[in-house]
Amino acid sequence: MGHRPGRDRRISTHVALAARAFGADGIIFSDYRAKKTKKSLEKVNRTWGGSFFVRGGEDWRGVITDWRSSGGVVVHLSMYGLSVGEEITKLRGDNILIIVGAEKVPSEVYELADLNIAIGNQPHSEISAMAIFLDRLFEGEELDKDFSEAKRKIVPSNSGKEVEEVND
Ligand code: SAM
């Protein structure tokens, strides 16, 4: 939420990249049409696999209401929230909408969320908060996720870059 045009495009793309890499299915921007971010993520999907989606320019109240009416859980990440370590076990297996802000998030979001969760009580960023939340949620297993239909796969190496070309 709250993408600031001109200032946040790189950060918004990085939130999307981190969400994809750490196991989310997609991202919805409420205040940003996200055309360029969508294009970059489509390119990343084509090369590195998976079907991560990017939606943009949506009304956040509508997104929250739809999510909840389809049985999903809404989690807002905020340094003022409850401890992630104590709350995360309740969330495993749920269909979760995770909300992060680029700037001050309206107080209504704190009320609409099922849970307000802090990744520590110090300020950091939407990228780190999202990444750590997902890593705690998936207990590290997301790092071994297989991204389907990748054109390229990394061969882990301690020296240089080794890449395997696949699905040609
Ligand atoms: N300075 C702004 C403010 O305080 O309103 C923006 C805060 S921060 C740059 C942007 C986002 O990062 C927040 O909306 C929140 O989602 C996330 N965030 C930052 N620190 C966090 C923390 N300790 N725990 C959870 N989320 C955090």
Side-chain angles (χ1 to χ4, degrees), residues 11 26 64 67 73 80 85 93 101 108 121-122 126 139 153 165:
I11 296 261
I64 294 174
W67 200 270
V73 174
Y80 303 99
E108 196 184 337
N121 297 114
Q122 299 298 321
E126 52 273 49
E139 301 179 273
K153 278 193 179 162
E165 303 288 334

PDB file of all heavy atoms in Angstrom, residues 11 26 64 67 73 80 85 93 101 108 121-122 126 139 153 165:
ATOM      1  N   ILE A  11      11.771   0.019  -5.067  1.00  0.00           N
ATOM      2  CA  ILE A  11      11.415  -0.688  -3.827  1.00  0.00           C
ATOM      3  C   ILE A  11      10.208  -1.590  -4.081  1.00  0.00           C
ATOM      4  O   ILE A  11      10.184  -2.746  -3.648  1.00  0.00           O
ATOM      5  CB  ILE A  11      11.059   0.320  -2.707  1.00  0.00           C
ATOM      6  CG1 ILE A  11      12.259   1.167  -2.349  1.00  0.00           C
ATOM      7  CG2 ILE A  11      10.458  -0.388  -1.508  1.00  0.00           C
ATOM      8  CD1 ILE A  11      13.012   0.744  -1.129  1.00  0.00           C
ATOM      9  N   GLY A  26       1.678 -14.184  -5.325  1.00  0.00           N
ATOM     10  CA  GLY A  26       1.553 -12.982  -6.128  1.00  0.00           C
ATOM     11  C   GLY A  26       1.511 -11.749  -5.254  1.00  0.00           C
ATOM     12  O   GLY A  26       1.627 -11.836  -4.025  1.00  0.00           O
ATOM     13  N   ILE A  64      -9.219  -6.297   0.653  1.00  0.00           N
ATOM     14  CA  ILE A  64      -9.324  -6.886   1.999  1.00  0.00           C
ATOM     15  C   ILE A  64     -10.686  -7.576   2.166  1.00  0.00           C
ATOM     16  O   ILE A  64     -10.764  -8.724   2.622  1.00  0.00           O
ATOM     17  CB  ILE A  64      -9.106  -5.809   3.094  1.00  0.00           C
ATOM     18  CG1 ILE A  64      -7.664  -5.302   3.041  1.00  0.00           C
ATOM     19  CG2 ILE A  64      -9.454  -6.355   4.480  1.00  0.00           C
ATOM     20  CD1 ILE A  64      -7.352  -4.138   3.974  1.00  0.00           C
ATOM     21  N   TRP A  67     -10.887 -10.749   0.148  1.00  0.00           N
ATOM     22  CA  TRP A  67     -10.017 -11.790   0.704  1.00  0.00           C
ATOM     23  C   TRP A  67     -10.706 -12.477   1.876  1.00  0.00           C
ATOM     24  O   TRP A  67     -10.749 -13.698   1.984  1.00  0.00           O
ATOM     25  CB  TRP A  67      -8.694 -11.175   1.173  1.00  0.00           C
ATOM     26  CG  TRP A  67      -7.616 -12.206   1.290  1.00  0.00           C
ATOM     27  CD1 TRP A  67      -7.305 -12.963   2.379  1.00  0.00           C
ATOM     28  CD2 TRP A  67      -6.723 -12.615   0.243  1.00  0.00           C
ATOM     29  NE1 TRP A  67      -6.278 -13.809   2.098  1.00  0.00           N
ATOM     30  CE2 TRP A  67      -5.897 -13.612   0.790  1.00  0.00           C
ATOM     31  CE3 TRP A  67      -6.537 -12.227  -1.083  1.00  0.00           C
ATOM     32  CZ2 TRP A  67      -4.888 -14.240   0.042  1.00  0.00           C
ATOM     33  CZ3 TRP A  67      -5.541 -12.844  -1.820  1.00  0.00           C
ATOM     34  CH2 TRP A  67      -4.736 -13.838  -1.256  1.00  0.00           C
ATOM     35  N   VAL A  73      -7.200 -15.006   5.460  1.00  0.00           N
ATOM     36  CA  VAL A  73      -6.818 -14.286   6.675  1.00  0.00           C
ATOM     37  C   VAL A  73      -5.988 -13.068   6.265  1.00  0.00           C
ATOM     38  O   VAL A  73      -5.159 -13.152   5.356  1.00  0.00           O
ATOM     39  CB  VAL A  73      -5.972 -15.215   7.593  1.00  0.00           C
ATOM     40  CG1 VAL A  73      -5.424 -14.467   8.783  1.00  0.00           C
ATOM     41  CG2 VAL A  73      -6.795 -16.404   8.027  1.00  0.00           C
ATOM     42  N   TYR A  80       4.424  -2.109  15.319  1.00  0.00           N
ATOM     43  CA  TYR A  80       3.622  -1.964  16.548  1.00  0.00           C
ATOM     44  C   TYR A  80       2.818  -3.223  16.877  1.00  0.00           C
ATOM     45  O   TYR A  80       2.091  -3.263  17.870  1.00  0.00           O
ATOM     46  CB  TYR A  80       2.645  -0.783  16.390  1.00  0.00           C
ATOM     47  CG  TYR A  80       3.353   0.513  16.070  1.00  0.00           C
ATOM     48  CD1 TYR A  80       3.424   0.978  14.757  1.00  0.00           C
ATOM     49  CD2 TYR A  80       3.973   1.246  17.073  1.00  0.00           C
ATOM     50  CE1 TYR A  80       4.103   2.163  14.459  1.00  0.00           C
ATOM     51  CE2 TYR A  80       4.640   2.426  16.780  1.00  0.00           C
ATOM     52  CZ  TYR A  80       4.699   2.875  15.480  1.00  0.00           C
ATOM     53  OH  TYR A  80       5.371   4.038  15.190  1.00  0.00           O
ATOM     54  N   GLY A  85       7.035 -14.378  16.353  1.00  0.00           N
ATOM     55  CA  GLY A  85       7.384 -15.685  16.930  1.00  0.00           C
ATOM     56  C   GLY A  85       6.211 -16.317  17.661  1.00  0.00           C
ATOM     57  O   GLY A  85       6.042 -17.533  17.644  1.00  0.00           O
ATOM     58  N   GLY A  93      -0.852 -22.801   6.961  1.00  0.00           N
ATOM     59  CA  GLY A  93      -1.947 -23.491   6.272  1.00  0.00           C
ATOM     60  C   GLY A  93      -3.078 -22.561   5.865  1.00  0.00           C
ATOM     61  O   GLY A  93      -3.950 -22.941   5.080  1.00  0.00           O
ATOM     62  N   GLY A 101       3.260  -1.476   3.929  1.00  0.00           N
ATOM     63  CA  GLY A 101       3.090  -0.118   3.414  1.00  0.00           C
ATOM     64  C   GLY A 101       4.405   0.456   2.933  1.00  0.00           C
ATOM     65  O   GLY A 101       5.472   0.097   3.420  1.00  0.00           O
ATOM     66  N   GLU A 108      -7.276   2.557   9.780  1.00  0.00           N
ATOM     67  CA  GLU A 108      -8.343   1.602   9.468  1.00  0.00           C
ATOM     68  C   GLU A 108      -7.780   0.200   9.151  1.00  0.00           C
ATOM     69  O   GLU A 108      -8.410  -0.811   9.449  1.00  0.00           O
ATOM     70  CB  GLU A 108      -9.103   2.140   8.238  1.00  0.00           C
ATOM     71  CG  GLU A 108     -10.440   1.489   8.009  1.00  0.00           C
ATOM     72  CD  GLU A 108     -11.105   2.006   6.719  1.00  0.00           C
ATOM     73  OE1 GLU A 108     -10.777   3.124   6.260  1.00  0.00           O
ATOM     74  OE2 GLU A 108     -11.942   1.260   6.185  1.00  0.00           O
ATOM     75  N   ASN A 121      10.408  -5.014  17.056  1.00  0.00           N
ATOM     76  CA  ASN A 121       9.727  -3.731  17.280  1.00  0.00           C
ATOM     77  C   ASN A 121      10.589  -2.535  16.890  1.00  0.00           C
ATOM     78  O   ASN A 121      10.404  -1.428  17.378  1.00  0.00           O
ATOM     79  CB  ASN A 121       9.272  -3.620  18.738  1.00  0.00           C
ATOM     80  CG  ASN A 121       8.260  -4.692  19.094  1.00  0.00           C
ATOM     81  OD1 ASN A 121       8.515  -5.571  19.909  1.00  0.00           O
ATOM     82  ND2 ASN A 121       7.103  -4.659  18.452  1.00  0.00           N
ATOM     83  N   GLN A 122      11.549  -2.772  15.992  1.00  0.00           N
ATOM     84  CA  GLN A 122      12.361  -1.673  15.461  1.00  0.00           C
ATOM     85  C   GLN A 122      11.929  -1.406  14.027  1.00  0.00           C
ATOM     86  O   GLN A 122      11.529  -2.339  13.320  1.00  0.00           O
ATOM     87  CB  GLN A 122      13.851  -2.054  15.477  1.00  0.00           C
ATOM     88  CG  GLN A 122      14.406  -2.336  16.866  1.00  0.00           C
ATOM     89  CD  GLN A 122      14.325  -1.120  17.772  1.00  0.00           C
ATOM     90  OE1 GLN A 122      14.558   0.010  17.325  1.00  0.00           O
ATOM     91  NE2 GLN A 122      13.991  -1.338  19.032  1.00  0.00           N
ATOM     92  N   GLU A 126       9.564  -2.591   4.314  1.00  0.00           N
ATOM     93  CA  GLU A 126       8.543  -3.505   3.809  1.00  0.00           C
ATOM     94  C   GLU A 126       9.177  -4.743   3.181  1.00  0.00           C
ATOM     95  O   GLU A 126       8.599  -5.830   3.213  1.00  0.00           O
ATOM     96  CB  GLU A 126       7.600  -2.795   2.829  1.00  0.00           C
ATOM     97  CG  GLU A 126       8.227  -2.036   1.679  1.00  0.00           C
ATOM     98  CD  GLU A 126       8.591  -0.597   2.035  1.00  0.00           C
ATOM     99  OE1 GLU A 126       9.226  -0.384   3.075  1.00  0.00           O
ATOM    100  OE2 GLU A 126       8.265   0.294   1.233  1.00  0.00           O
ATOM    101  N   GLU A 139       8.988 -21.759   7.307  1.00  0.00           N
ATOM    102  CA  GLU A 139      10.066 -22.395   8.081  1.00  0.00           C
ATOM    103  C   GLU A 139      11.306 -22.712   7.228  1.00  0.00           C
ATOM    104  O   GLU A 139      11.923 -23.766   7.388  1.00  0.00           O
ATOM    105  CB  GLU A 139       9.545 -23.659   8.764  1.00  0.00           C
ATOM    106  CG  GLU A 139       8.381 -23.365   9.707  1.00  0.00           C
ATOM    107  CD  GLU A 139       7.835 -24.622  10.370  1.00  0.00           C
ATOM    108  OE1 GLU A 139       6.962 -25.264   9.764  1.00  0.00           O
ATOM    109  OE2 GLU A 139       8.294 -24.947  11.468  1.00  0.00           O
ATOM    110  N   LYS A 153      18.323 -22.648 -14.539  1.00  0.00           N
ATOM    111  CA  LYS A 153      18.411 -23.042 -13.136  1.00  0.00           C
ATOM    112  C   LYS A 153      19.847 -22.881 -12.675  1.00  0.00           C
ATOM    113  O   LYS A 153      20.784 -23.176 -13.419  1.00  0.00           O
ATOM    114  CB  LYS A 153      17.983 -24.509 -12.966  1.00  0.00           C
ATOM    115  CG  LYS A 153      16.484 -24.650 -12.891  1.00  0.00           C
ATOM    116  CD  LYS A 153      16.023 -26.012 -12.427  1.00  0.00           C
ATOM    117  CE  LYS A 153      14.500 -25.985 -12.383  1.00  0.00           C
ATOM    118  NZ  LYS A 153      13.878 -27.272 -12.367  1.00  0.00           N
ATOM    119  N   GLU A 165      20.803 -24.416 -18.631  1.00  0.00           N
ATOM    120  CA  GLU A 165      19.691 -24.006 -19.497  1.00  0.00           C
ATOM    121  C   GLU A 165      18.753 -25.200 -19.619  1.00  0.00           C
ATOM    122  O   GLU A 165      19.187 -26.297 -19.948  1.00  0.00           O
ATOM    123  CB  GLU A 165      20.203 -23.631 -20.904  1.00  0.00           C
ATOM    124  CG  GLU A 165      21.260 -22.533 -20.916  1.00  0.00           C
ATOM    125  CD  GLU A 165      20.734 -21.143 -20.592  1.00  0.00           C
ATOM    126  OE1 GLU A 165      19.542 -20.891 -20.824  1.00  0.00           O
ATOM    127  OE2 GLU A 165      21.512 -20.323 -20.078  1.00  0.00           O
TER     128      GLU A 165
END
